[in-house]
Amino acid sequence: MQSPDEWEIPPEYQPDPRTLDYDLKNALAAVVSLRARVPDDAFTAETLGTERAGQGVVIRDDGLVVTIGYLIAEAEEVWLTTNKGRVVQAHVLAYDYESGFGLVQALEPLGVPVLTLGDSRRLQPGDQVVVGGSGGQSHSLAAQVVACQEFAGYWEYLIDPAIFTAPAHPNWGGTALIGPRGDLIGIGSLQLQHQASGGTVVPLNMSVPVDLLKPILDELLTHGRTRNQPRPWLGFYVAEAEDDQIMIIGLAGDAPAQRAGLRAGDQIHAVAGQPVTSLAEFYRAIWALGAAGVDVPLTLEREGDRFDVTVRSADRGRFMKGPRLQ
């Protein structure tokens, strides 16, 4: 993703304040630039890098900022920059692996408005939204909701429903998805390629809906995580292959999957004897076995040989560096 100083949305794609029922400038002032530095020995350093940049959204007067969690995972330093150029250090409060949200706390007053949490359940395909980037209108995009549906990610991640919008914002991480009422309805997470009718490939943004944050916000602020038992995590990257097959495409460091001898290219046919043909089905079958630490029996195929293997799952959070105390 590019630095906010190196790009600008073409004027014809920027939101037009005259067509909106809220103060666009005020809403975008709540979006701040976020930069994070992660130590070289962090578990996520190899896959996500040690210098990360994106955005966050101020949601409380005390400087609480919500962003997408991968930007701040294991970060030892976080800096926020307002649209007026004020730079403030922040402290990581939480990263919720299930939803994907991250929370940071500004350590000094930011002097910006707050963007209130909206109701993402109201969204319908065709609704007009703004994908708000740090830097104001020139870094923001007028977009349309394409779909609200389940999303399964290759890194053992599943949410329902995710919000898909087009056109795609070029600096999507942590952007504010602003609804028709001028409130926050989602946080930008990904850019995806969607094959439309006629074979045309259209880039989309996927945002995590704020309604996933509301019921867990107080727990994240109090405990740094939800009180739910952590889900079993195997530490691999998987994708849907041809013929309704699940394939391992990579391994995450010294995690359970690697310790159990799994390899990239292995096909997964079943979990505890239950056939699986989609990522969502696969994850739900694993999570149904119990909390982190439970044994996960898998039926694999490697180079034409089918065999069973049991992987002792783990709590993903135990592999990550926790927030530094201030």
Side-chain angles (χ1 to χ4, degrees):
M1 289 180 289
Q2 295 169 296
S3 164
D5 299 327
E6 296 174 349
W7 61 270
E8 183 174 293
I9 299 291
E12 62 269 27
Y13 293 104
Q14 295 175 20
D16 184 351
R18 298 169 297 181
T19 66
L20 302 173
D21 294 330
Y22 59 91
D23 185 337
L24 177 64
K25 183 177 181 180
N26 190 71
L28 293 177
V31 185
V32 294
S33 171
L34 183 151
R35 293 186 179 276
R37 187 169 67 84
V38 175
D40 293 337
D41 62 345
F43 188 80
T44 58
E46 183 176 351
T47 53
L48 297 176
T50 58
E51 301 287 338
R52 303 173 194 170
Q55 285 109 154
V57 185
V58 182
I59 60 171
R60 283 200 331 200
D61 289 326
D62 62 0
L64 178 65
V65 173
V66 60
T67 185
I68 198 66
Y70 60 73
L71 292 176
I72 59 167
E74 303 185 276
E76 60 181 7
E77 284 187 16
V78 176
W79 295 90
L80 307 173
T81 305
T82 70
N83 289 352
K84 293 184 177 180
R86 176 165 172 73
V87 181
V88 172
Q89 190 171 9
H91 170 57
V92 176
L93 295 177
Y95 176 10
D96 179 53
Y97 300 107
E98 291 189 16
S99 66
F101 286 116
L103 295 174
V104 300
Q105 177 67 53
L107 299 180
E108 297 178 40
L110 287 163
V112 302
V114 168
L115 200 56
T116 58
L117 300 183
D119 187 351
S120 54
R121 296 170 301 178
R122 293 177 175 268
L123 280 183
Q124 298 290 332
D127 285 351
Q128 300 299 313
V129 292
V130 171
V131 183
S134 60
Q137 182 178 334
S138 65
H139 289 173
S140 299
L141 180 73
Q144 185 179 69
V145 176
V146 175
C148 298
Q149 63 187 43
E150 180 179 82
F151 172 77
Y154 63 86
W155 60 99
E156 298 179 68
Y157 177 72
L158 175 66
I159 60 171
D160 185 20
I163 305 168
F164 297 88
T165 58
H169 197 289
N171 192 33
W172 57 88
T175 49
L177 189 63
I178 303 173
R181 300 184 176 198
D183 45 20
L184 182 66
I185 52 175
I187 292 292
S189 175
L190 297 171
Q191 185 179 100
L192 305 167
Q193 302 298 317
H194 170 69
Q195 186 165 341
S197 58
T200 304
V201 176
V202 179
L204 305 176
N205 285 140
M206 188 278 277
S207 295
V208 182
V210 295
D211 277 277
L212 296 181
L213 177 64
K214 293 176 186 177
I216 62 173
L217 180 57
D218 288 343
E219 290 183 4
L220 294 178
L221 293 175
T222 303
H223 305 288
R225 63 186 303 167
T226 69
R227 291 189 174 183
N228 296 336
Q229 288 289 329
R231 288 171 172 170
W233 176 74
L234 302 188
F236 51 20
Y237 307 119
V238 288
E240 295 178 3
E242 296 180 356
D243 301 323
D244 294 328
Q245 295 297 319
I246 307 301
M247 179 176 290
I248 298 175
I249 58 175
L251 302 172
D254 187 25
Q258 181 164 285
R259 294 177 183 179
L262 275 60
R263 301 178 189 173
D266 288 350
Q267 290 185 339
I268 302 171
H269 290 281
V271 177
Q274 173 186 336
V276 290
T277 59
S278 71
L279 286 186
E281 189 178 43
F282 175 49
Y283 296 152
R284 289 190 175 110
I286 293 175
W287 298 338
L289 296 175
V294 70
D295 285 341
V296 178
L298 299 175
T299 301
L300 304 181
E301 183 177 332
R302 179 185 299 163
E303 297 177 351
D305 293 330
R306 186 175 293 208
F307 59 97
D308 295 325
V309 63
T310 297
V311 183
R312 173 63 58 89
S313 66
D315 176 0
R316 186 193 318 239
R318 295 188 178 276
F319 285 74
M320 311 293 181
K321 292 180 179 292
R324 297 175 63 183
L325 297 177
Q326 298 293 318

